[in-house]
Amino acid sequence: MKSSNNQYPMNSISKHFPLQLVRFLPCLLLLAFGVTIGIIISFYVKSSNFNLQFTQFSRTSKQNAPPPIEKLQAPNPNLNQEELREEIQPSNSVHDMKEFVQPDSIVHDNTKEFIQPSNVVHDAIKEFIQPSSVVHDMSDEELLWRASMTPRIREYPFDRNPKVAFLYLVRGPLPLAPFWDIFFKGHEGYYSIYVHSDPSYNVPDPENSVFHGRRIPSKVVEWGKFNMVEAERRLLANALLDFSNQRFVLVSESCIPLFNFSTIYSYLMNSTQSYVMAYDEDSPVGRGRYNIHMSPMITLEQWRKGSQWFEMDRELALEVVSDRTYFPVFEEYCIRSCYADEHYLPTFVSIKFSEKNSGRSLTWVDWSKGGVHPTKYVRPEVTVEFLEHLRNQKCEYNTNDTNACFLFARKFLPTSLTRLFRFAPAIMHIY
């Protein structure tokens, strides 16, 4: 019975299978057709995508490929200077830090293949190595960073005259400016002038004066405060932007030259040392100003005192503006009665560069009367004998004895101007 029941379904399926196959055959054919179409379409799409990607890759490669090298054309010689500048679109600002660290243009000529080098390129280089203006918008951090740079190649790819940079640290006006104008007359190209005055002082110097347009971006300076050292570094940094400046002299509004320009220029350019006064004084105004918290970076034995009116070569000036070791120590601990302007440079130079420093100043000052300020000289005290005395002192210069020890002197008040004009031609040969 069980055997009969189990065989019935199989017989039924065998009997009706051909009929069912015929019934589903169109569906199977339709399914096969659809699969075939799908395969064809898929292959076509893949082929199209490959061609499209290849085309895009080819276009991208062409776009990214460097342009063909073309011979640079020299600017039209018939154009004037203004039109030439418009062609290359240089930076509008002399000291544009963004343009300096990341130039907008890569167009330049640093090859020797051109018989006639572009005057515009030459002017651009000249503006970089010898800025025509002292006006800029750099912060002190940017200025010191920029000024600390020095070329690794010693040879200069241009003709230049080594210059003396005169750094004037003043409160406001320069009452002795007419005398300095005569001193500099006829020596253009051998000196640079930088004036640091109180920002509130905005009276312009006469256009015919060498001081016209030579005020650097300045900040407030207070007597005896650390910001006086900051002002000195600010002056040095601005002067270092001019690669032709090789010697740097700090003077005040009460300073006068004791010799003519040619003598002073020759004296400084031929000197083998810098002139930063530095000495060890075991007294309340010497070692007594040392702060024990400066140790171990600066010890009491290394502590020095001296005049702030320095003269130095370019190598030392670069070290001063780049100092990130001793300057912060003085900034933090040389406060109140420490008077950093009398101790920072003497100590720093003695620790790091004593062999290159003479240890004396080139600016004569009279402290014989005592007090916190040196003697001031008015008109009756300016005599021929007095000036000759200042010009004849005994000291050492380049390991030899000399009578020319002081090149400058202070403090001379404005009333002394008429006497200086009277005696300068005969004594100093300043005309």
Side-chain angles (χ1 to χ4, degrees):
M1 204 58 186
K2 289 181 180 179
S3 178
S4 176
N5 291 338
N6 290 339
Q7 291 177 358
Y8 180 78
M10 294 297 296
N11 294 335
S12 176
I13 292 173
S14 300
K15 191 179 293 184
H16 296 285
F17 179 76
L19 181 62
Q20 292 175 352
L21 181 62
V22 173
R23 186 180 300 173
F24 288 102
L25 184 60
C27 294
L28 292 173
L29 292 175
L30 182 61
L31 177 61
F33 180 78
V35 171
T36 303
I37 295 300
I39 292 173
I40 295 173
I41 293 175
S42 176
F43 178 81
Y44 178 80
V45 170
K46 289 182 178 180
S47 177
S48 300
N49 287 340
F50 175 80
N51 292 333
L52 178 60
Q53 291 175 0
F54 179 79
T55 302
Q56 292 176 343
F57 174 79
S58 300
R59 292 177 179 176
T60 304
S61 300
K62 292 180 180 179
Q63 292 174 355
N64 293 335
I69 298 176
E70 297 179 0
K71 185 176 180 180
L72 297 177
Q73 298 294 326
N76 186 347
N78 296 324
L79 298 179
N80 57 37
Q81 289 296 319
E82 188 62 31
E83 292 170 328
L84 287 171
R85 290 191 178 91
E86 290 178 356
E87 278 194 348
I88 64 169
Q89 296 179 352
S91 170
N92 293 328
S93 176
V94 173
H95 302 307
D96 188 342
M97 289 297 294
K98 292 182 179 179
E99 178 69 16
F100 173 76
V101 301
Q102 186 174 341
D104 291 335
S105 174
I106 60 173
V107 177
H108 57 82
D109 176 13
N110 61 354
T111 71
K112 297 181 180 179
E113 298 177 0
F114 300 99
I115 298 177
Q116 294 291 338
S118 169
N119 291 330
V120 176
V121 174
H122 175 74
D123 288 344
I125 295 177
K126 185 177 181 180
E127 185 64 24
F128 168 70
I129 61 177
Q130 186 178 331
S132 59
S133 173
V134 298
V135 178
H136 58 77
D137 59 356
M138 286 185 284
S139 65
D140 279 355
E141 291 76 13
E142 292 172 331
L143 173 64
L144 293 173
W145 175 80
R146 167 68 179 83
S148 68
M149 296 181 180
T150 180
R152 296 288 298 274
I153 300 176
R154 294 293 183 179
E155 298 80 12
Y156 288 85
F158 54 88
D159 294 331
R160 69 187 183 97
N161 293 323
K163 297 190 295 186
V164 177
F166 289 82
L167 318 177
Y168 291 83
L169 182 57
V170 303
R171 295 181 180 85
L174 284 157
L176 301 179
F179 187 68
W180 283 100
D181 283 334
I182 295 178
F183 169 78
F184 288 116
K185 186 178 180 181
H187 302 284
E188 294 76 11
Y190 292 90
Y191 67 86
S192 299
I193 293 175
Y194 303 87
V195 181
H196 188 296
S197 61
D198 192 283
S200 63
Y201 182 75
N202 53 15
V203 180
D205 295 292
E207 292 187 5
N208 61 348
S209 173
V210 294
F211 297 98
H212 181 74
R214 302 308 299 176
R215 293 183 199 168
I216 68 170
S218 308
K219 294 184 179 181
V220 174
V221 175
E222 303 166 276
W223 181 84
K225 297 295 181 66
F226 189 78
N227 51 29
M228 187 171 290
V229 177
E230 295 175 330
E232 293 174 7
R233 296 217 308 174
R234 195 174 297 121
L235 277 164
L236 277 174
N238 277 275
L240 283 168
L241 298 182
D242 188 336
F243 282 76
S244 295
N245 289 331
Q246 295 299 306
R247 308 291 300 202
F248 304 80
V249 183
L250 181 68
V251 291
S252 72
E253 68 268 31
S254 65
C255 283
I256 63 167
L258 295 176
F259 296 88
N260 59 36
F261 181 87
S262 298
T263 302
I264 292 178
Y265 180 88
S266 177
Y267 191 103
L268 297 181
M269 287 301 170
N270 292 313
S271 177
T272 59
Q273 293 182 308
S274 293
Y275 297 88
V276 178
M277 180 182 286
Y279 58 92
D280 182 13
E281 181 175 318
D282 189 7
S283 70
V285 297
R287 289 197 174 194
R289 294 176 178 174
Y290 173 76
N291 189 329
I292 190 62
H293 293 96
M294 293 182 173
S295 179
M297 185 62 65
I298 302 171
T299 65
L300 179 60
E301 290 71 25
Q302 295 172 322
W303 185 255
R304 294 294 182 270
K305 177 182 172 65
S307 170
Q308 73 175 113
W309 309 106
F310 61 78
E311 192 284 333
M312 62 181 63
D313 60 17
R314 187 175 183 89
E315 182 179 357
L316 181 54
L318 284 165
E319 295 291 344
V320 172
V321 302
S322 305
D323 176 28
R324 292 296 182 273
T325 303
Y326 301 95
F327 184 83
V329 176
F330 271 85
E331 185 177 24
E332 183 174 2
Y333 298 113
C334 189
I335 55 178
R336 291 186 288 274
S337 60
C338 177
Y339 304 118
D341 58 293
E342 295 183 8
H343 295 281
Y344 168 64
L345 278 180
T347 302
F348 171 69
V349 173
S350 295
I351 294 174
K352 300 286 291 182
F353 311 100
S354 60
E355 71 284 355
K356 298 181 179 180
N357 184 41
S358 67
R360 65 183 179 90
S361 174
L362 294 179
T363 301
W364 181 89
V365 184
D366 182 10
W367 290 96
S368 61
K369 296 182 180 179
V372 296
H373 296 288
T375 302
K376 299 178 181 180
Y377 290 91
V378 294
R379 182 178 181 277
E381 296 172 301
V382 180
T383 64
V384 173
E385 294 74 19
F386 176 60
L387 293 176
E388 287 289 7
H389 170 71
L390 300 184
R391 286 161 48 90
N392 289 277
Q393 304 285 328
K394 296 283 186 181
C395 67
E396 186 178 278
Y397 171 77
N398 289 354
T399 70
N400 297 314
D401 294 333
T402 181
N403 291 332
C405 296
F406 298 106
L407 304 184
F408 311 94
R410 63 187 302 266
K411 282 185 161 186
F412 289 81
L413 298 185
T415 57
S416 65
L417 193 58
T418 54
R419 287 289 188 101
L420 292 172
F421 277 129
R422 181 188 305 178
F423 302 138
I427 300 175
M428 307 177 197
H429 303 287
I430 298 176
Y431 301 95

